[in-house]
Each structure stands twice: as structure tokens, then as C-alpha cells.
Amino acid sequence: TVTAKLHQDQIERRHNKDFYSMEQGRMSRVTANSLPDTQNRHTASVRALGVQHEAMLERWRFQVMARAEDVDYKVTDFTTGLSTNKSTGGFAPGVGLAYRLSPNWTTGATVARGLTLVGTNATDDEDPEESVNYEVFSRYLNEDEDLQADLAGFYNDYRNIKGTASFSSGATSENLDNEYSGGRAQVL
């Protein structure tokens, strides 16, 4: 199976600041007019290609998958009239193996790389978020009795976890959308 994805995301911000003071329990405006604050447009153009193949050999099922993604960013600052362009990309492969123990029981494992690309405000030396994800499973399926049971275990090893500053998380206009690294994590 081959999949292709082309899409474009865009956000335009025209935020203004208003200043108020509290006088005798009432808010009163300090500035006569709103002052421009964040005035920009961020555009991301994405091209992605995915491939997945599955092969069977007696009781064995083999699966190989991969995704490649390229992104072109453009940021236009309406206050300065300047535009900046940036490109990034990545590759995320994976493999899976399953063995049919009986007509009703299957067991298997997968290993796959996860990837979150850096955004428009990342510095040139900033790395993408990466993970290696492991899964082992056992599945019972009896279609005659309409019965299914799954038992799975996961281990995820994350590196360079991404975070993004937003107004809702307390960011100011100066650091809005800045990315930061949250470090590493292992999840079992």
C-alpha cells in the first residue's frame, strides 16, 4: 500500500493590545487606541509519502512500513513586511512480526520510529522530537462466538520532547509559538 498526502495549513494573527488600569474598583482604558501586537501569518506546505507492505509465510506475518515527510514553512510578519522561509523533513520506518499459534491465537511484536518535526520558530540547530516505540501483543479471536481479547505491552523511548509556548500556557507575544525541548522520557 502506498499513500501520499499534500496539504497546507495556515494561521493568521492580527492581535492587538489594550491597556487598562484599575481605579476605585473600575477598569479604565489607559490607551486611546489598540496597539498592534502579534501581526503575522504562518503557512506550512506538507508533502508526505507512506509505504506499507505485508507478507505471509505459513503461520508468520511480516510487516514493513515507512513514512517520509517534507515541510516548507513561510512566516510573514505584517509589522515589518519581512518573510522568512524554512524547510524540514524526516523519515520514520517500522517493522512488525506476528505468529499464529492456533486458528484463534496470534502473538507478535512491532518496532517503529516516531517523529515530530520542528516548527517555524525552531532554531536551525534544534532537533525534531523522536521516539522508538516497541509493542508486544497476544490476541485471541473467535469469530464464531464473536469474542476477542487483546493483551499488549508498550515501551516508548522519547528524545527531545517538543513543547510550544502559547497564550493559554502563559506565553507573551515575544515568545508566542517558540518551541522548547522537554528532554527525554521513557514510558512503559
Side-chain angles (χ1 to χ4, degrees):
T1 306
V2 176
T3 58
K5 175 176 82 168
L6 300 171
H7 83 264
Q8 187 177 71
D9 293 324
Q10 179 175 291
I11 184 169
E12 187 168 313
R13 295 184 184 94
R14 296 195 181 261
H15 300 169
N16 295 317
K17 286 184 188 178
D18 292 301
F19 294 92
Y20 294 85
S21 67
M22 189 66 83
E23 298 172 1
Q24 298 177 353
R26 301 187 84 191
M27 286 178 54
S28 64
R29 194 175 182 149
V30 174
T31 53
N33 296 315
S34 296
L35 302 172
D37 189 20
T38 306
Q39 306 283 317
N40 61 34
R41 178 186 305 125
H42 289 233
T43 304
S45 299
V46 180
R47 294 162 309 284
L49 182 65
V51 178
Q52 182 174 338
H53 181 69
E54 188 172 279
M56 301 288 288
L57 178 62
E58 296 178 11
R59 292 178 172 228
W60 292 95
R61 185 180 72 219
F62 304 92
Q63 188 177 44
V64 178
M65 65 286 271
R67 187 187 86 225
E69 191 166 317
D70 287 308
V71 183
D72 293 325
Y73 297 110
K74 181 177 182 181
V75 179
T76 303
D77 186 331
F78 298 129
T79 59
T80 65
L82 297 176
S83 290
T84 56
N85 296 300
K86 179 181 187 171
S87 295
T88 188
F91 180 71
V95 295
L97 177 66
Y99 183 74
R100 193 179 70 232
L101 298 166
S102 73
N104 299 100
W105 281 101
T106 302
T107 189
T110 61
V111 177
R113 179 177 183 231
L115 183 66
T116 301
L117 299 175
V118 296
T120 56
N121 288 344
T123 60
D124 288 336
D125 62 342
E126 197 165 340
D127 292 328
E129 175 180 305
E130 295 178 348
S131 65
V132 179
N133 309 299
Y134 305 87
E135 175 190 11
V136 293
F137 67 89
S138 186
R139 175 173 298 127
Y140 176 83
L141 177 62
N142 187 328
E143 293 178 351
D144 295 335
E145 296 178 19
D146 198 25
L147 179 65
Q148 178 176 334
D150 291 282
L151 179 65
F154 300 92
Y155 175 74
N156 304 301
D157 186 4
Y158 293 93
R159 185 179 73 78
N160 199 38
I161 296 172
K162 291 282 166 220
T164 304
S166 65
F167 281 133
S168 63
S169 66
T172 63
S173 298
E174 291 77 32
N175 64 5
L176 181 65
D177 289 334
N178 285 353
E179 291 188 355
Y180 56 89
S181 173
R184 288 191 72 137
Q186 282 120 14
V187 179
L188 183 61

